[in-house]
Amino acid sequence: GEEVAQTPKHLVRGEGQKAKLYCAPIKGHSYVFWYQQVLKNEFKFLISFQNENVFDETGMPKERFSAKCLPNSPCSLEIQATKLEDSAVYFCASSQSTHISGNTIYFGEGSWLTVV
Amino acid sequence: DAKTTQPPSMDCAEGRAANLPCNHSTISGNEYVYWYRQIHSQGPQYIIHGLKNNETNEMASLIITEDRKSSTLILPHATLRDTAVYYCIVPRPLTGGGNKLTFGTGTQLKVEL
């Protein structure tokens, strides 16, 4: 597609439940990025992929967060045993290259996760 | 990423040009300057990017100083819909390829009647 598509737009989970978010990158884009934004504050980089391979996961809280990009499937970000502090908007982005110089990263509209 | 400094907020009258400054004094010779904006809590929207020369597209103009230590994003005729947080970003290429955008706190632009 011509845009980064994220689903669901809104998700409510009770504390301790699992949450799974999906992202379909722009067609032809090999690189996918996940960011977390809590309460309109600064964006936190979580993880990036080159096709199905993890490229950079320095921002991932590994104990409860996991992500995948499998061939012919939307990418996913999964949070096991959600906590109140996981309430945030999760943005997915894609680009033709992670070598950003001269390239552009395009963002989806985000998935709002509310943990109650 | 190269550190960028932006004013936390600016006001602009509708129909006037909005000039948003950004300092990036530690920028390296091969690093681009990118501008994004976020309207309410929507996804960040790409605006423009440049390396050395001034750039213009349908959304905005980007003026980069000759020493590249600062730049200005210009919205020539601001409208109420341009009210947003504007982010100036200098992503740093990593050895071996790849980098990522690191967002700061940006400039909250408020366009008023």
Side-chain angles (χ1 to χ4, degrees):
Chain A
E2 294 296 319
E3 60 181 26
V4 178
Q6 291 190 246
T7 57
K9 285 191 178 354
H10 299 275
L11 186 63
V12 180
R13 285 289 178 265
E15 220 176 346
Q17 291 185 315
K18 182 176 73 176
K20 195 165 186 178
L21 311 174
Y22 297 91
C23 169
I26 291 173
K27 189 176 181 181
H29 284 191
S30 305
Y31 296 86
V32 170
F33 308 78
W34 285 98
Y35 285 81
Q36 178 196 57
Q37 187 182 34
V38 177
L39 290 176
K40 295 188 179 182
N41 287 332
E42 291 186 33
F43 293 82
K44 179 186 176 185
F45 168 80
L46 296 176
I47 191 169
S48 62
F49 287 84
Q50 178 182 2
N51 295 311
E52 62 267 27
N53 302 308
V54 174
F55 197 86
D56 179 352
E57 56 182 344
T58 52
M60 280 288 270
K62 293 184 181 177
E63 57 274 12
R64 295 182 298 108
F65 284 61
S66 63
K68 293 179 184 178
C69 279
L70 299 176
N72 302 314
S73 296
C75 296
S76 64
L77 176 68
E78 188 168 342
I79 309 172
Q80 301 285 343
T82 53
K83 297 183 178 181
L84 296 176
E85 68 226 39
D86 298 330
S87 294
V89 185
Y90 292 84
F91 290 104
C92 176
S94 73
S95 75
Q96 289 181 315
S97 170
T98 61
H99 196 80
I100 291 179
S101 295
N103 290 303
T104 302
I105 293 180
Y106 295 95
F107 285 79
E109 288 304 310
S111 290
W112 289 69
L113 172 64
T114 302
V115 181
V116 296
Chain B
D1 290 354
K3 181 176 173 60
T4 60
T5 305
Q6 299 177 252
S9 64
M10 291 183 65
D11 294 331
C12 179
E14 191 178 33
R16 298 281 188 157
N19 298 296
L20 294 97
C22 179
N23 288 319
H24 31 78
S25 57
T26 60
I27 194 170
S28 299
N30 62 346
E31 294 175 335
Y32 283 71
V33 180
Y34 279 77
W35 283 83
Y36 280 78
R37 72 181 181 183
Q38 186 180 31
I39 299 173
H40 296 300
S41 293
Q42 298 176 18
Q45 180 186 23
Y46 166 77
I47 301 173
I48 199 168
H49 70 277
L51 182 62
K52 295 180 182 178
N53 300 320
N54 298 335
E55 301 287 344
T56 296
N57 63 21
E58 65 278 4
M59 288 183 68
S61 295
L62 175 60
I63 308 298
I64 303 174
T65 57
E66 194 168 339
D67 64 6
R68 305 205 332 115
K69 291 179 187 264
S70 66
S71 60
T72 301
L73 178 75
I74 301 172
L75 307 178
H77 305 287
T79 70
L80 298 178
R81 290 180 294 180
D82 292 321
T83 293
V85 179
Y86 287 77
Y87 296 94
C88 168
I89 303 168
V90 180
R92 179 158 290 162
L94 300 173
T95 301
N99 48 19
K100 56 182 180 280
L101 298 175
T102 300
F103 291 80
T105 53
T107 296
Q108 171 67 64
L109 175 68
K110 187 176 181 182
V111 181
E112 299 172 308
L113 292 171

